[in-house]
Amino acid sequence: MDLPMIPAAKPIVGEEEANAVHSVIMSGMLAQGAEVKSFEDEFAAQLTPGTEAIAVNSGTSALHLGLLAAGIGAGDEVIVPSFTFAATGNSVALTGATPVFADIEPDYFCLDPESIRASITPNTKGIMPVHLYGHPANMDEIMAIAEEHGLMVFEDTAQAHGAALHGKNVGTFGTFAGFSLYPTKNMTSGEGGMVTTSDAEVARRVRLLRNQGMEIQYQNELVGLNNRMTNIHAAIGRVQLTKVGGWTTTRQENAAFLNANLEGVVVPPVADGAVHVYHQYTIRVAEDRDGFADALRNEYKVGCGVYYPIPNHRLPSLEHYAPGLELPKTEEAAQQVISLPVHPSLTQSDLDRIVEAVNAVAKAGA
Ligand SMILES: *Cc1c(COP(=O)(O)O)cnc(C)c1O
């Protein structure tokens, strides 16, 4: 039988987004304007209460401008995970500062407090935890370390819209957070990003930096970039914001079904007090991960992904920051992880097929 491929990710966009974009186009106000301002206000109210949100053109820009606004630059060190998308370390490197790579907690794939402590030097200015796959990092410990050593915390919330720890949403813990609105993330604006911060001066500087350093036209105060979001993208994002809560619930239900039915693989645990929003549902396979993933794709037509096969401190672009560094938990995760489809478009028959496929491949390999 020729089964259709179950995609690893599937952005949900349709009539409502199309209508919202149509309205913006007919208004003639295409660039950053009122639509962006509304998106910012609604985003902060819903996902990061108590902060200001500043929209930009990507998640990478959100992290980059947030770091610049926090005063990070040449001579500074920022502790980041190596087990993440390269944008995390890139954003630090782009400011002229040095990304210092630390190891992860193997259960949750996020920064390990012990490894953070071991990475602190007199030049350390901040810690950038990533809430990887939508699971909150160990913010209790990370905030305590920051306090103890006088460091700032910058959250990479690119994958974690709506995730929380002990009732506090991610994106509200540190000096700032950077969300991504890329199509495969939990919600999208086409391309886009959002900085959230409760520091009014950081917020002001991010607004300046995204707009050539201008608050008043042609009176440029800072050397800035053009990292603005358009009203067209904001219109898509505003519609998505009304749906992301329901999508997250569906992701969590899909994950619960997989947890209950997968056999012979390590399913992702959730820390006490954590709300996981399952940007990815990531299992571990101890032996021959690549063969396992190939079998899922080719024999069972179950799309799956490996995030991320190469630790960032081993990438040609970043390895010069960490010559000879060994991060054993990171290396092991990079060899063992497979992310299965968990997105809200899955049907019950898709979920049944995923379970059947994973259990069969696990059994064949055992
Ligand atoms: C997607 C992502 C980013 C970058 O976001 P873009 O919108 O693609 O620029 C940063 N960090 C992590 C962990 C991501 O997954």
Side-chain angles (χ1 to χ4, degrees):
M1 190 174 58
D2 243 355
L3 289 170
M5 190 77 173
I6 301 173
K10 188 165 185 249
I12 306 175
V13 283
E15 283 297 315
E16 271 190 82
E17 286 84 354
N19 291 337
V21 166
H22 185 260
S23 299
V24 168
I25 290 173
M26 297 317 286
S27 79
M29 309 294 279
L30 305 187
Q32 181 188 298
E35 195 73 18
V36 171
K37 178 75 174 89
S38 298
F39 183 33
E40 292 172 337
D41 292 347
E42 291 159 6
F43 188 98
Q46 185 176 320
L47 293 175
T48 55
T51 72
E52 270 184 78
I54 305 105
V56 291
N57 60 345
S58 73
T60 309
S61 298
L63 296 172
H64 180 213
L65 297 195
L67 288 164
L68 291 173
I72 298 298
D76 298 333
E77 294 177 1
V78 177
I79 297 170
V80 296
S82 173
F83 192 61
T84 175
F85 184 50
T88 311
N90 283 350
S91 66
V92 174
L94 283 169
T95 69
T98 300
V100 174
F101 295 101
D103 215 347
I104 52 168
E105 294 183 309
D107 282 349
Y108 312 117
F109 303 104
C110 297
L111 273 180
D112 174 12
E114 279 320 302
S115 184
I116 293 173
R117 284 182 197 280
S119 306
I120 293 172
T121 77
N123 296 323
T124 308
K125 290 285 169 5
I127 308 166
M128 184 178 273
V130 179
H131 306 296
L132 199 73
Y133 306 144
H135 187 289
N138 188 339
M139 298 310 289
D140 298 343
E141 295 269 351
I142 291 169
M143 297 311 290
I145 295 170
E147 174 107 356
E148 194 182 317
H149 294 270
L151 305 176
M152 288 181 279
V153 172
F154 316 122
E155 293 174 84
D156 181 338
T157 44
Q159 303 186 356
H161 315 69
L165 189 63
H166 309 306
K168 188 171 166 61
N169 280 23
V170 303
T172 64
F173 284 88
T175 299
F176 77 86
F179 288 84
S180 171
L181 298 165
Y182 185 72
T184 58
K185 303 293 160 86
N186 288 30
M187 61 173 283
T188 186
S189 59
E191 289 267 13
M194 200 68 85
V195 179
T196 61
T197 180
S198 48
D199 181 321
E201 187 51 29
V202 169
R204 192 183 91 86
R205 284 204 288 265
V206 171
R207 284 184 214 287
L208 289 173
L209 287 164
R210 76 173 167 184
N211 187 36
Q212 309 286 5
M214 291 187 284
E215 190 157 29
I216 303 166
Q217 205 170 21
Y218 308 133
Q219 297 187 23
N220 309 55
E221 294 174 49
L222 298 174
V223 175
L225 298 108
N226 172 0
N227 284 351
R228 296 182 300 262
M229 178 181 279
T230 69
N231 275 351
I232 300 169
H233 293 87
I236 299 172
R238 289 183 73 193
V239 173
Q240 295 262 310
L241 200 50
T242 66
K243 301 179 181 173
V244 68
W247 289 334
T248 297
T249 303
T250 306
R251 284 175 183 275
Q252 290 163 338
E253 288 166 358
N254 292 345
F257 181 83
L258 295 173
N259 284 340
N261 291 285
L262 293 180
E263 289 163 9
V265 297
V266 179
V267 300
V270 179
D272 274 352
V275 174
H276 193 334
V277 297
Y278 295 100
H279 171 60
Q280 300 294 347
Y281 180 92
T282 303
I283 61 170
R284 278 183 191 261
V285 175
E287 304 264 313
D288 188 21
R289 185 269 318 277
D290 292 338
F292 200 112
D294 284 344
L296 288 179
R297 289 188 197 111
N298 301 332
E299 289 171 40
Y300 294 91
K301 304 288 183 228
V302 171
C304 56
V306 170
Y307 314 107
Y308 297 88
I310 305 174
N312 288 185
H313 73 288
R314 305 271 190 216
L315 291 173
S317 53
L318 295 169
E319 65 184 350
H320 64 281
Y321 290 109
L325 181 66
E326 304 273 344
L327 300 174
K329 303 293 188 231
T330 294
E331 307 278 358
E332 187 182 58
Q335 283 170 21
Q336 294 187 340
V337 292
I338 300 180
S339 296
L340 302 174
V342 74
H343 54 81
S345 302
L346 296 174
T347 63
Q348 185 57 45
S349 110
D350 292 335
L351 287 162
D352 291 339
R353 269 180 59 196
I354 295 164
V355 166
E356 237 171 84
V358 171
N359 291 355
V361 177
K363 204 162 176 189

